[in-house]
Amino acid sequence: RRLGSATRGPRAVTYWSLNLIFLAAIGLLAVVALVLGRAPRWRAVAVVVLTIVVLTAIFDNVIILAGLVGYHDDLISGLFVGVAPFEDFAYAIAAAVLLPTLWALLGAGRKADRR
């Protein structure tokens, strides 16, 4: 469900501009993990991203069609997967990349040092 047009002034923030902030930070974190040699298993991350994108497509369409959420026409790109704006998928992708990257960077799953 779309909510019509929003008042756009010089400070109007689109969903993509908001997404860009988070995606850039996560991308930088992933590069740091690569440089440090502590990146997650990217094939596994890709499988998770694909799974989450499919689930997001299904459930976002359901909640939008049910009228639980809506979007201002002026703040979205106009690209849709069903009735879900393309912008909605950025959060799912960001989470699927961020969590394993943090896991790898923070050393989770490493064997404890034995003394």
Side-chain angles (χ1 to χ4, degrees):
R1 171 176 82 133
R2 287 180 249 158
L3 299 176
S5 63
T7 304
R8 291 191 75 174
R11 293 181 161 214
V13 176
T14 65
Y15 293 104
W16 272 122
S17 57
L18 184 61
N19 288 343
L20 183 62
I21 295 166
F22 291 99
L23 293 173
I26 292 165
L28 180 62
L29 195 62
V31 168
V32 167
L34 284 169
V35 169
L36 294 176
R38 296 174 71 181
R41 295 186 177 122
W42 291 115
R43 283 187 186 175
V45 172
V47 170
V48 170
V49 167
L50 180 62
T51 303
I52 287 180
V53 165
V54 169
L55 291 171
T56 299
I58 294 167
F59 291 110
D60 275 12
N61 275 281
V62 169
I63 66 171
I64 291 166
L65 288 171
L68 298 175
V69 295
Y71 300 90
H72 288 285
D73 289 337
D74 292 346
L75 302 177
I76 58 175
S77 65
L79 299 172
F80 296 92
V81 176
V83 294
F86 212 61
E87 292 86 340
D88 268 4
F89 295 89
Y91 300 109
I93 293 168
V97 173
L98 175 65
L99 295 176
T101 301
L102 283 176
W103 185 268
L105 277 172
L106 297 175
R110 291 184 176 188
K111 294 179 181 177
D113 291 331
R114 295 182 186 202
R115 294 178 192 200

